[in-house]
Amino acid sequence: MSELNLVDALATAREIAEEAGREVMRFWHNGFSQSTKSSAVDVVTEADQAVEVLIVKRLLAAFPQHHIIGEEGGGAGVPIEKAEYHWYVDPIDGTTNFANHIPVFAISLALTDADMNPLVGVVYNPVNGELFCAVKGGGATLNDVQICVSSDETLITCVLGSGFPYDKYTSPENNLNEWSRFLVRTRGLRRMGSAALDCCYVACGRFDGYWEQKVKPYDVLAGLLCVTEAGGTVSDYHGNDTPGFLNGGRVVVSNGRIHAEMVRVLQGD
Ligand code: IPD
Ligand code: CA
């Protein structure tokens, strides 16, 4: 693998996320058009598309040898099979919130190796200025202050986040059973509407855990690195964390201490 300075890559990603944040806020204040994608509940706005174009342009200029995968546009840069490094871009994670002027959404950028192992992650909420950053082996921060996961050891004292897939009204795999099982075993559940921020809330100890199915790599990769660098655990619903587990679309994220208990509940306990 050719040498890439991850701290420099993080600095560049952070600058790009902050510039993208200014652009998102311009739309937030001035208005935007919107349409739907896979179904009536899957919204995309003019801001998602414009901001992804901006981010991809900046990443291509900074990392011409890398491959870029964006939520709205597909691939750019060096073809995926030839690139050693891949960027996963979610221009607005939490589009439904953004479209409804609910201030809970984020720009999410992750750099991975060719096996989808995250190396750098940036998640930025431009409304409140919260910037989560992580670099593999270098820890995770919130606005430049080191963060770590919570220390709760049993589900009953825990607050968990989750989300529901866009095909929730046509597919029986819509997270309602899992939600019901956790509801009666925890202090509380939250549905924030941004998978990237859900993961970061686990990383900084606001949530003790998070689970979701049918997520895409660009939704969670940056947040997952924040969690592991903050001392937490990530896996699929079986507790498997081998590279590529995310291809199944199911993630469990926790402070580590409640991970086995969460996996048991997801297995139907
Ligand atoms: C969605 C959000 C939401 C999660 C969905 C994601 P989008 O991303 O992260 O919280 O429940 O699974 O698709 O569409 O807002 O970028
Ligand atoms: Ca997303």
Side-chain angles (χ1 to χ4, degrees):
M1 190 180 276
S2 62
E3 210 47 54
L4 174 69
N5 183 316
L6 297 183
V7 173
D8 290 348
L10 172 63
T12 304
R14 177 182 170 143
E15 269 173 35
I16 293 172
E18 286 173 334
E19 182 186 356
R22 291 190 287 278
E23 191 63 5
V24 171
M25 292 312 290
R26 207 173 54 77
F27 283 104
W28 173 263
H29 292 299
N30 297 343
F32 46 83
S33 60
Q34 56 181 281
S35 52
T36 53
K37 294 195 286 187
S38 61
S39 72
V41 298
D42 188 3
V43 178
V44 61
T45 74
E46 190 185 353
D48 296 78
Q49 289 159 337
V51 173
E52 181 165 314
V53 168
L54 172 71
I55 294 171
V56 170
K57 190 171 153 195
R58 294 285 184 265
L59 286 174
L60 278 177
F63 305 103
Q65 300 307 317
H66 296 186
H67 181 71
I68 302 162
I69 299 135
E71 178 178 16
E72 308 303 338
V78 169
I80 192 160
E81 63 284 357
K82 293 200 177 135
E84 283 179 77
Y85 296 102
H86 303 172
W87 287 92
Y88 288 84
V89 175
D90 198 332
I92 301 179
D93 183 60
T95 300
T96 305
N97 286 343
F98 177 79
N100 283 268
H101 275 267
I102 299 167
V104 182
F105 54 85
I107 292 132
S108 178
L109 304 180
L111 170 70
T112 75
D113 64 16
D115 294 322
M116 220 195 273
N117 294 304
L119 305 171
V120 162
V122 174
V123 176
Y124 179 48
N125 178 346
V127 180
N128 64 8
E130 288 194 333
L131 175 71
F132 294 88
C133 292
V135 61
K136 192 173 171 55
T141 57
L142 164 54
N143 292 349
D144 294 315
V145 177
Q146 202 81 25
I147 51 176
C148 70
V149 294
S150 69
S151 54
D152 285 73
E153 301 209 342
T154 53
L155 274 183
I156 198 62
T157 61
C158 286
V159 175
L160 307 182
S162 189
F164 298 87
Y166 285 119
D167 62 357
K168 56 185 178 277
Y169 57 96
T170 51
S171 167
E173 294 196 338
N174 59 7
N175 200 31
L176 276 179
N177 290 336
E178 294 89 331
W179 180 271
S180 307
R181 289 202 295 276
F182 277 117
L183 187 71
V184 294
R185 289 171 167 83
T186 52
R187 180 170 288 171
L189 300 181
R190 299 289 181 267
R191 197 293 193 241
M192 293 218 298
S194 164
L197 287 174
D198 285 321
C199 293
C200 291
Y201 274 33
V202 176
C204 70
R206 292 174 185 167
F207 286 174
D208 305 288
Y210 155 76
W211 84 93
E212 189 164 352
Q213 61 178 311
K214 302 182 188 174
V215 292
K216 297 288 190 306
Y218 44 73
D219 296 318
V220 292
L221 272 166
L224 293 184
L225 186 63
C226 292
V227 172
T228 53
E229 287 299 323
T233 302
V234 307
S235 75
D236 67 12
Y237 282 12
H238 295 279
N240 168 26
D241 65 351
T242 51
F245 81 84
L246 209 49
N247 287 324
R250 295 177 156 199
V251 284
V252 194
V253 168
S254 80
N255 64 8
R257 296 168 176 89
I258 58 164
H259 209 81
E261 206 180 347
M262 285 187 71
V263 165
R264 277 199 303 278
V265 173
L266 287 165
Q267 291 305 311
D269 188 12

